[in-house]
Amino acid sequence: MSDIFGIAKSGLQAYKESLATTGQNIANVGNENYARREANLAEVRSGSADVLSISPSSSYGVKVDGITRAFDQFIDVQLQKASSGLSFATSQTLILENLEQVLRPSEATVANKLQDFFASLSTVSQDPSDIAARNIAVDAGQAVVASIKNVANGIRDISKLVTDNIKGNITDFNNTMENLGSVQREILGNTSPKSTPNSLLDQRDAYLKALSEFADISVDYNKNGSVKVTIGTTGQGQTLMDGLVTKKLKLQNVDGSAKIFLGSSAGGTSSKIQIQSGEIAGNLAADITLINAKNSLDDLTKSL
């Protein structure tokens, strides 16, 4: 009878913990950084050495053999790629929308002002002695100059905004890397992968998702819970984190355009990297578009 009560007690205890796990899942249903938990049940086998009194097939109930996370590595990698692509498109679109407002204002564009100017010159050519027509032509010319200046100033302001965005992106990226490095140290400090708290793994995945929104990263998940992170074009990326070694991004201006370099957290030689996706890449692409727009405006001014 004592065995029956022991089995019943183990069942109550095991399913109590299972219900608590379910309650934890419900409580965190709105937490996007929380991975659903699942209680694994296992049979309690006999630990008695008295083989004469207890059959080898005897058992003493059930127990919770660990709480695991609902984690799919393939889905997580795909989510990181999708986050990078969305962030790239969003950041670039916001800048291009601002540029469109500068190049095509609601009132009149540079092209409209040029048409008015050449029309006024045509009028003057028909009667050069007409003072009124000549004044209109001068005013039209000044309007062209003002319009070009407005576009140049608008492009300059947007360029400053993009530069500030990139600097902010780099700072946030490096701060996230520091946080991920701290989590990595804690994970590697555990004696066994099974002893790693699930909440720590949730933090790891949240930081990886945040990094993927800034740049295109590739993640290799190790059996001990740690990760190896590379950044840049697939197949040509450079190691960002491996074990306890982490690196940071650096922003430099090369030939008038922003470039991203990768250097160690302790300093040292920096190497240029190609980022094709993420918010940083979106802002870099927008910066190139702004440079081309400014060059086209300069060419137009020189031609005039």
Side-chain angles (χ1 to χ4, degrees):
M1 293 295 292
S2 60
D3 291 344
I4 294 177
F5 286 119
I7 292 172
K9 180 180 178 181
S10 69
L12 289 173
Q13 181 64 31
Y15 284 100
K16 177 184 177 182
E17 293 186 32
S18 296
L19 286 174
T21 302
T22 301
Q24 181 77 354
N25 292 335
I26 296 173
N28 285 274
V29 68
N31 183 0
E32 63 177 8
N33 295 326
Y34 176 86
R36 180 176 56 83
R37 311 284 198 261
E38 182 177 348
N40 297 324
L41 300 180
E43 180 185 17
V44 178
R45 303 295 299 176
S46 170
S48 173
D50 187 2
V51 296
L52 297 177
S53 61
I54 300 177
S55 169
S57 62
S58 298
S59 60
Y60 285 101
V62 67
K63 65 177 180 179
V64 175
D65 189 21
I67 307 295
T68 58
R69 301 164 65 241
F71 175 75
D72 189 309
Q73 178 177 328
F74 175 78
I75 294 177
D76 216 48
V77 170
Q78 295 303 312
L79 178 61
Q80 291 164 7
K81 292 181 179 179
S83 297
S84 294
L86 177 62
S87 297
F88 175 87
T90 301
S91 58
Q92 185 182 36
T93 299
L94 290 175
I95 299 302
L96 294 182
E97 286 178 347
N98 291 333
L99 178 60
E100 183 179 17
Q101 293 176 1
V102 169
L103 296 178
R104 301 180 61 184
S106 56
E107 296 181 357
T109 64
V110 173
N112 296 140
K113 297 298 183 180
L114 283 173
Q115 289 177 358
D116 294 341
F117 177 59
F118 287 119
S120 63
L121 290 181
S122 177
T123 302
V124 171
S125 65
Q126 296 175 7
D127 185 5
S129 63
D130 188 345
I131 301 299
R134 291 161 61 181
N135 289 333
I136 293 175
V138 171
D139 292 340
Q142 292 176 344
V144 171
V145 173
S147 179
I148 293 177
K149 284 185 177 180
N150 288 337
V151 172
N153 291 334
I155 294 176
R156 182 194 60 195
D157 293 340
I158 298 175
S159 297
K160 183 178 182 304
L161 173 63
V162 171
T163 301
D164 292 340
N165 287 345
I166 297 175
K167 290 180 179 178
N169 292 155
I170 297 298
T171 300
D172 293 340
F173 186 94
N174 289 335
N175 290 338
T176 304
M177 278 301 305
E178 289 184 3
N179 294 332
L180 180 61
S182 299
V183 171
Q184 182 102 314
R185 284 192 293 271
E186 291 188 51
I187 291 176
L188 293 175
N190 287 278
T191 56
S192 170
K194 290 186 176 180
S195 64
T196 303
N198 288 320
S199 58
L200 201 60
L201 298 177
D202 283 346
Q203 290 182 33
R204 178 203 68 184
D205 294 341
Y207 290 138
L208 289 174
K209 182 177 181 297
L211 290 176
S212 69
E213 292 175 354
F214 288 117
D216 46 335
I217 62 172
S218 299
V219 183
D220 294 325
Y221 295 88
N222 301 319
K223 293 182 179 180
N224 60 1
S226 65
V227 293
K228 178 182 178 181
V229 184
T230 57
I231 183 172
T233 307
T234 303
Q236 302 177 0
Q238 301 186 45
T239 302
L240 189 65
M241 167 180 283
D242 190 7
L244 298 177
V245 179
T246 61
K247 297 181 180 180
K248 293 185 176 182
L249 299 184
K250 297 180 180 180
L251 176 65
Q252 295 184 18
N253 189 287
V254 179
D255 297 330
S257 61
K259 301 295 181 182
I260 305 298
F261 291 81
L262 184 65
S264 64
S265 56
T269 305
S270 300
S271 55
K272 182 180 175 182
I273 57 175
Q274 296 291 335
I275 301 178
Q276 302 294 332
S277 187
E279 188 172 348
I280 295 176
N283 283 315
L284 289 174
D287 185 56
I288 294 176
T289 301
L290 290 170
I291 292 175
N292 293 335
K294 180 63 167 57
N295 290 337
S296 297
L297 185 66
D298 290 343
D299 292 340
L300 172 64
T301 306
K302 292 176 182 178
S303 298
L304 287 175

PDB file of all heavy atoms in Angstrom, residues 136-154:
ATOM      1  N   ILE A 136      10.706  90.144 -65.243  1.00  0.00           N
ATOM      2  CA  ILE A 136      10.100  88.820 -65.004  1.00  0.00           C
ATOM      3  C   ILE A 136      11.138  87.714 -65.189  1.00  0.00           C
ATOM      4  O   ILE A 136      11.194  86.743 -64.426  1.00  0.00           O
ATOM      5  CB  ILE A 136       8.900  88.609 -65.944  1.00  0.00           C
ATOM      6  CG1 ILE A 136       7.766  89.569 -65.575  1.00  0.00           C
ATOM      7  CG2 ILE A 136       8.430  87.165 -65.894  1.00  0.00           C
ATOM      8  CD1 ILE A 136       6.588  89.516 -66.528  1.00  0.00           C
ATOM      9  N   ALA A 137      12.009  87.874 -66.203  1.00  0.00           N
ATOM     10  CA  ALA A 137      13.047  86.883 -66.458  1.00  0.00           C
ATOM     11  C   ALA A 137      14.047  86.828 -65.301  1.00  0.00           C
ATOM     12  O   ALA A 137      14.490  85.746 -64.889  1.00  0.00           O
ATOM     13  CB  ALA A 137      13.766  87.183 -67.760  1.00  0.00           C
ATOM     14  N   VAL A 138      14.402  88.009 -64.772  1.00  0.00           N
ATOM     15  CA  VAL A 138      15.332  88.050 -63.628  1.00  0.00           C
ATOM     16  C   VAL A 138      14.710  87.373 -62.422  1.00  0.00           C
ATOM     17  O   VAL A 138      15.361  86.581 -61.717  1.00  0.00           O
ATOM     18  CB  VAL A 138      15.711  89.509 -63.301  1.00  0.00           C
ATOM     19  CG1 VAL A 138      16.488  89.565 -61.990  1.00  0.00           C
ATOM     20  CG2 VAL A 138      16.542  90.111 -64.430  1.00  0.00           C
ATOM     21  N   ASP A 139      13.450  87.677 -62.160  1.00  0.00           N
ATOM     22  CA  ASP A 139      12.766  87.046 -61.022  1.00  0.00           C
ATOM     23  C   ASP A 139      12.677  85.524 -61.198  1.00  0.00           C
ATOM     24  O   ASP A 139      12.842  84.768 -60.239  1.00  0.00           O
ATOM     25  CB  ASP A 139      11.362  87.632 -60.881  1.00  0.00           C
ATOM     26  CG  ASP A 139      11.373  89.090 -60.444  1.00  0.00           C
ATOM     27  OD1 ASP A 139      12.410  89.514 -59.887  1.00  0.00           O
ATOM     28  OD2 ASP A 139      10.363  89.792 -60.661  1.00  0.00           O
ATOM     29  N   ALA A 140      12.432  85.107 -62.448  1.00  0.00           N
ATOM     30  CA  ALA A 140      12.350  83.671 -62.711  1.00  0.00           C
ATOM     31  C   ALA A 140      13.705  83.001 -62.487  1.00  0.00           C
ATOM     32  O   ALA A 140      13.787  81.881 -61.968  1.00  0.00           O
ATOM     33  CB  ALA A 140      11.870  83.425 -64.142  1.00  0.00           C
ATOM     34  N   GLY A 141      14.783  83.711 -62.860  1.00  0.00           N
ATOM     35  CA  GLY A 141      16.126  83.170 -62.632  1.00  0.00           C
ATOM     36  C   GLY A 141      16.434  83.053 -61.148  1.00  0.00           C
ATOM     37  O   GLY A 141      17.026  82.063 -60.693  1.00  0.00           O
ATOM     38  N   GLN A 142      16.034  84.061 -60.384  1.00  0.00           N
ATOM     39  CA  GLN A 142      16.241  84.013 -58.935  1.00  0.00           C
ATOM     40  C   GLN A 142      15.410  82.893 -58.296  1.00  0.00           C
ATOM     41  O   GLN A 142      15.854  82.251 -57.338  1.00  0.00           O
ATOM     42  CB  GLN A 142      15.869  85.364 -58.321  1.00  0.00           C
ATOM     43  CG  GLN A 142      16.831  86.497 -58.720  1.00  0.00           C
ATOM     44  CD  GLN A 142      16.377  87.848 -58.182  1.00  0.00           C
ATOM     45  OE1 GLN A 142      15.222  88.006 -57.780  1.00  0.00           O
ATOM     46  NE2 GLN A 142      17.280  88.817 -58.198  1.00  0.00           N
ATOM     47  N   ALA A 143      14.245  82.638 -58.862  1.00  0.00           N
ATOM     48  CA  ALA A 143      13.411  81.544 -58.355  1.00  0.00           C
ATOM     49  C   ALA A 143      14.073  80.190 -58.587  1.00  0.00           C
ATOM     50  O   ALA A 143      13.985  79.275 -57.760  1.00  0.00           O
ATOM     51  CB  ALA A 143      12.038  81.586 -59.013  1.00  0.00           C
ATOM     52  N   VAL A 144      14.755  80.063 -59.743  1.00  0.00           N
ATOM     53  CA  VAL A 144      15.486  78.819 -60.022  1.00  0.00           C
ATOM     54  C   VAL A 144      16.601  78.624 -58.995  1.00  0.00           C
ATOM     55  O   VAL A 144      16.790  77.527 -58.448  1.00  0.00           O
ATOM     56  CB  VAL A 144      16.072  78.846 -61.447  1.00  0.00           C
ATOM     57  CG1 VAL A 144      17.014  77.657 -61.656  1.00  0.00           C
ATOM     58  CG2 VAL A 144      14.962  78.820 -62.478  1.00  0.00           C
ATOM     59  N   VAL A 145      17.345  79.711 -58.740  1.00  0.00           N
ATOM     60  CA  VAL A 145      18.443  79.635 -57.769  1.00  0.00           C
ATOM     61  C   VAL A 145      17.904  79.247 -56.386  1.00  0.00           C
ATOM     62  O   VAL A 145      18.474  78.381 -55.699  1.00  0.00           O
ATOM     63  CB  VAL A 145      19.193  80.977 -57.695  1.00  0.00           C
ATOM     64  CG1 VAL A 145      20.222  80.945 -56.565  1.00  0.00           C
ATOM     65  CG2 VAL A 145      19.861  81.286 -59.018  1.00  0.00           C
ATOM     66  N   ALA A 146      16.819  79.881 -55.974  1.00  0.00           N
ATOM     67  CA  ALA A 146      16.243  79.585 -54.657  1.00  0.00           C
ATOM     68  C   ALA A 146      15.762  78.137 -54.582  1.00  0.00           C
ATOM     69  O   ALA A 146      15.936  77.467 -53.554  1.00  0.00           O
ATOM     70  CB  ALA A 146      15.083  80.543 -54.382  1.00  0.00           C
ATOM     71  N   SER A 147      15.187  77.671 -55.680  1.00  0.00           N
ATOM     72  CA  SER A 147      14.694  76.293 -55.711  1.00  0.00           C
ATOM     73  C   SER A 147      15.839  75.293 -55.585  1.00  0.00           C
ATOM     74  O   SER A 147      15.746  74.302 -54.832  1.00  0.00           O
ATOM     75  CB  SER A 147      13.915  76.049 -57.001  1.00  0.00           C
ATOM     76  OG  SER A 147      13.448  74.721 -57.071  1.00  0.00           O
ATOM     77  N   ILE A 148      16.925  75.547 -56.301  1.00  0.00           N
ATOM     78  CA  ILE A 148      18.088  74.659 -56.229  1.00  0.00           C
ATOM     79  C   ILE A 148      18.693  74.684 -54.829  1.00  0.00           C
ATOM     80  O   ILE A 148      19.089  73.642 -54.280  1.00  0.00           O
ATOM     81  CB  ILE A 148      19.128  75.059 -57.292  1.00  0.00           C
ATOM     82  CG1 ILE A 148      18.581  74.782 -58.695  1.00  0.00           C
ATOM     83  CG2 ILE A 148      20.443  74.313 -57.077  1.00  0.00           C
ATOM     84  CD1 ILE A 148      19.507  75.216 -59.811  1.00  0.00           C
ATOM     85  N   LYS A 149      18.763  75.866 -54.230  1.00  0.00           N
ATOM     86  CA  LYS A 149      19.302  75.976 -52.866  1.00  0.00           C
ATOM     87  C   LYS A 149      18.438  75.199 -51.876  1.00  0.00           C
ATOM     88  O   LYS A 149      18.962  74.532 -50.972  1.00  0.00           O
ATOM     89  CB  LYS A 149      19.384  77.448 -52.455  1.00  0.00           C
ATOM     90  CG  LYS A 149      20.530  78.218 -53.086  1.00  0.00           C
ATOM     91  CD  LYS A 149      20.594  79.625 -52.528  1.00  0.00           C
ATOM     92  CE  LYS A 149      21.793  80.391 -53.093  1.00  0.00           C
ATOM     93  NZ  LYS A 149      21.860  81.781 -52.555  1.00  0.00           N
ATOM     94  N   ASN A 150      17.125  75.285 -52.043  1.00  0.00           N
ATOM     95  CA  ASN A 150      16.224  74.560 -51.140  1.00  0.00           C
ATOM     96  C   ASN A 150      16.441  73.052 -51.236  1.00  0.00           C
ATOM     97  O   ASN A 150      16.459  72.343 -50.216  1.00  0.00           O
ATOM     98  CB  ASN A 150      14.770  74.904 -51.467  1.00  0.00           C
ATOM     99  CG  ASN A 150      14.382  76.310 -51.052  1.00  0.00           C
ATOM    100  OD1 ASN A 150      15.012  76.891 -50.154  1.00  0.00           O
ATOM    101  ND2 ASN A 150      13.383  76.870 -51.695  1.00  0.00           N
ATOM    102  N   VAL A 151      16.613  72.567 -52.473  1.00  0.00           N
ATOM    103  CA  VAL A 151      16.852  71.129 -52.657  1.00  0.00           C
ATOM    104  C   VAL A 151      18.190  70.735 -52.039  1.00  0.00           C
ATOM    105  O   VAL A 151      18.297  69.707 -51.352  1.00  0.00           O
ATOM    106  CB  VAL A 151      16.823  70.762 -54.155  1.00  0.00           C
ATOM    107  CG1 VAL A 151      17.258  69.311 -54.349  1.00  0.00           C
ATOM    108  CG2 VAL A 151      15.427  70.963 -54.718  1.00  0.00           C
ATOM    109  N   ALA A 152      19.224  71.552 -52.267  1.00  0.00           N
ATOM    110  CA  ALA A 152      20.552  71.245 -51.712  1.00  0.00           C
ATOM    111  C   ALA A 152      20.512  71.222 -50.195  1.00  0.00           C
ATOM    112  O   ALA A 152      21.088  70.325 -49.550  1.00  0.00           O
ATOM    113  CB  ALA A 152      21.570  72.266 -52.213  1.00  0.00           C
ATOM    114  N   ASN A 153      19.840  72.219 -49.603  1.00  0.00           N
ATOM    115  CA  ASN A 153      19.732  72.254 -48.144  1.00  0.00           C
ATOM    116  C   ASN A 153      18.925  71.062 -47.613  1.00  0.00           C
ATOM    117  O   ASN A 153      19.248  70.492 -46.570  1.00  0.00           O
ATOM    118  CB  ASN A 153      19.074  73.561 -47.697  1.00  0.00           C
ATOM    119  CG  ASN A 153      19.957  74.768 -47.942  1.00  0.00           C
ATOM    120  OD1 ASN A 153      21.189  74.645 -47.986  1.00  0.00           O
ATOM    121  ND2 ASN A 153      19.357  75.936 -48.100  1.00  0.00           N
ATOM    122  N   GLY A 154      17.880  70.685 -48.356  1.00  0.00           N
ATOM    123  CA  GLY A 154      17.075  69.539 -47.940  1.00  0.00           C
ATOM    124  C   GLY A 154      17.870  68.251 -47.972  1.00  0.00           C
ATOM    125  O   GLY A 154      17.789  67.430 -47.045  1.00  0.00           O
TER     126      GLY A 154
END
